[in-house]
Amino acid sequence: MYDILNKFNLPGLEIFQNQRAVLCIAGGIIVIVVFVLILIILRKRKFKKAVKINLTDSKDYSGEQLEDNYKLITKRIKRVGKKYKSILFTSVELEDMPITIPINVAIGLAKSRKRCFLIDLDLGRDAIARAFELDVQDNGLRPKAVATKFENLWVLPGHHFIQSKQMNIQAIVEKALDRFDFILINAPSLVNSPDRRQIISAVQAAFICSKGSSEADRLDELIKLSDCMVIGHIQIQP
């Protein structure tokens, strides 16, 4: 057989075997790449499923259903917790994201024995300080986590940033990562914020709150400019 191959100047048997091995390896690599891409697509589709929160007093929507929605959000945060610990809650317009959403999620995480740090970047309302009945006082230029009445939950009120007249949110988040299980950031009306790029670059993942898909798409495009991963859309139903 080898004489015949040599006579007609044909490749040897070993070359055919090597080529076959190369093709098998290449095929295996392609299968693995396709499998990984499918997993990534399925994961993104899973996170894109909207969590609908009804803010009306409709009799068809009970408080128990509302609580289940908050549990769904906290469950999603825990699911990605090994990779994403700093989570942004944001919206296009101020009224698109009630303060009750990040507060209830933070309380839910704290009750599940997760050390949670809630940072308020809604400087106009300072709503988190009022919600937890915190005194608005001068705490100095250095940011300080303030304990709440809930075990495992600390907050950084919005008036801190007004008093210090600066917002080095990235440094605050990086320092907090070693101390807390999760850092939640309340930053509504992100599109209109002059610090929007700094805020987005400081977090690893985000929830987008909106009343419609067009507003969510607008924020989604802005967030995609960084390494931040959108892990959920919260659809507000007025």
Side-chain angles (χ1 to χ4, degrees):
M1 172 123 182
Y2 288 108
D3 292 338
I4 295 174
L5 291 173
N6 290 331
K7 182 178 179 180
F8 290 97
N9 198 26
L10 296 175
L13 185 61
E14 291 183 359
I15 295 177
F16 281 116
Q17 290 175 336
N18 290 337
Q19 289 176 341
R20 184 178 179 183
V22 170
L23 290 174
C24 289
I25 294 172
I29 293 173
I30 292 173
V31 170
I32 293 172
V33 170
V34 171
F35 179 72
V36 171
L37 288 175
I38 291 173
L39 287 178
I40 292 173
I41 292 171
L42 290 175
R43 186 184 181 199
K44 287 185 176 181
R45 284 183 179 179
K46 176 177 64 178
F47 288 145
K48 283 185 177 180
K49 185 177 180 181
V51 180
K52 296 182 180 180
I53 294 182
N54 193 315
L55 299 179
T56 67
D57 295 327
S58 172
K59 294 180 180 179
D60 297 329
Y61 201 88
S62 66
E64 185 176 339
Q65 288 175 295
L66 187 61
E67 185 178 351
D68 287 341
N69 282 335
Y70 288 127
K71 286 181 179 178
L72 183 60
I73 298 172
T74 57
K75 184 178 180 181
R76 191 171 295 187
I77 291 175
K78 290 178 184 177
R79 187 186 305 162
V80 301
K82 290 184 178 180
K83 188 173 182 180
Y84 307 119
K85 295 179 64 177
S86 52
I87 314 291
L88 173 68
F89 284 82
T90 189
S91 63
V92 173
E93 301 295 339
L94 188 66
E95 60 271 15
D96 289 345
M97 193 180 79
I99 191 62
T100 51
I101 293 177
I103 287 179
N104 282 319
V105 172
I107 292 173
L109 289 170
K111 286 183 176 180
S112 64
R113 299 182 179 179
K114 298 294 183 182
R115 292 172 61 86
C116 188
F117 185 30
L118 177 58
I119 301 174
D120 188 12
L121 298 184
D122 182 3
L123 309 188
R125 295 184 296 184
D126 200 19
I128 287 178
R130 291 189 285 108
F132 288 101
E133 299 179 347
L134 303 177
D135 292 332
V136 180
Q137 57 184 354
D138 187 1
N139 295 322
L141 297 180
R142 297 182 63 181
K144 182 180 179 181
V146 180
T148 69
K149 62 181 180 180
F150 294 94
E151 187 179 1
N152 297 320
L153 178 56
W154 290 260
V155 299
L156 182 58
H159 60 255
H160 159 79
F161 299 100
I162 298 174
Q163 292 167 351
S164 64
K165 298 181 181 179
Q166 61 180 347
M167 184 185 290
N168 192 353
I169 187 64
Q170 190 161 2
I172 294 172
V173 171
E174 288 178 357
K175 188 175 181 180
L177 285 172
D178 294 330
R179 182 181 172 189
F180 299 97
D181 295 309
F182 292 105
I183 298 98
L184 306 186
I185 298 177
N186 173 52
S189 191
L190 185 66
V191 173
N192 301 319
S193 172
D195 299 299
R196 57 185 177 273
R197 294 193 181 277
Q198 181 193 167
I199 295 170
I200 295 173
S201 63
V203 296
Q204 299 163 331
F207 279 97
I208 294 175
C209 300
S210 66
K211 294 179 181 177
S213 58
S214 59
E215 292 90 347
D217 291 341
R218 184 181 174 189
L219 257 180
D220 196 72
E221 291 300 320
L222 176 63
I223 293 173
K224 280 181 180 178
L225 297 176
S226 71
D227 294 329
C228 181
M229 172 76 174
V230 176
I231 59 171
H233 292 82
I234 302 174
Q235 185 176 337
I236 306 300
Q237 298 177 314

